[in-house]
Amino acid sequence: ELKVEQNPLFLSMQEGKNYTIYCNYSTTSDRLYWYRQDPGKSLESLFVLLSNGAVKQEGRLMASLDTKARLSTLHITAAVHDLSATYFCAPANFGNEKLTFGTGTRLTIIP
Amino acid sequence: GAVVSQHPSWVICKSGTSVKIECRSLDFQATTMFWYRQFPKQSLMLMATSNEGSKATYEQGVEKDKFLINHASLTLSTLTVTSAHPEDSSFYICSASAESIYGYTFGSGTRLTVV
């Protein structure tokens, strides 16, 4: 059974600072997704990472994947208030389409 | 892009009644649909996976007689919460996948409150 851990669970950071969210998963996965969720809303797709060493960047967010370490990271550069949200990683279960969601990281950017 | 429409956005019902939530893929045919439940400040938990024309596959611990899932066409899946109780109050989210789209498309979610 695929288990997913994210840390930190809560992150409060000042605008302009950099930080990284970590996503560890327990068994082999062939792809990993990152999503953003605003309060009361559904999920917004951010990135899909398909192979070892994959790196994707969009604006101030950059995601990477190390399949050997079963680790993905979401790096935030020069945070701005608009990035305040909950971020989830979700590796796909190997061999089927099911996603297992991480615990989520609630990010609050303080002006 | 791929769009999934979920209705209703929110619903309040009395304890003991049934509620149906619809999930439609608007511009693609969804071969597989997924139903998730999310309690406040928690992560998404997969409830079941449904494929068009076949019975849904439920995750361990999810009561199939209570959460009825129907995937009668390639564009529509429904989740019916039968005999709802206050502990069923939650945010329900569907998602769809297909070979024609990349990844998963999520519906906007349904907030169910049982009083």
Side-chain angles (χ1 to χ4, degrees), chain A residues 96-110:
Chain A
N96 65 52
E97 294 186 272
K98 293 198 285 187
L99 295 180
T100 298
F101 281 81
T103 47
T105 296
R106 185 174 299 176
L107 174 64
T108 303
I109 309 297
I110 303 167

Side-chain angles (χ1 to χ4, degrees), chain A residues 12-30:
Chain A
S12 183
M13 53 191 292
Q14 287 186 318
E15 278 190 328
K17 299 292 187 182
N18 304 332
Y19 211 84
T20 301
I21 299 170
Y22 297 88
C23 172
N24 289 91
Y25 53 98
S26 60
T27 63
T28 301
S29 173
D30 53 5

Side-chain angles (χ1 to χ4, degrees), chain A residues 57-103:
Chain A
Q57 182 165 4
E58 181 72 34
R60 300 175 188 273
L61 300 178
M62 183 173 71
S64 67
L65 178 63
D66 182 342
T67 57
K68 293 180 181 178
R70 295 177 187 157
L71 170 69
S72 181
T73 62
L74 180 67
H75 186 74
I76 302 146
T77 302
V80 293
H81 180 69
D82 286 352
L83 291 179
S84 295
T86 298
Y87 292 85
F88 292 98
C89 66
N93 289 255
F94 189 77
N96 65 52
E97 294 186 272
K98 293 198 285 187
L99 295 180
T100 298
F101 281 81
T103 47

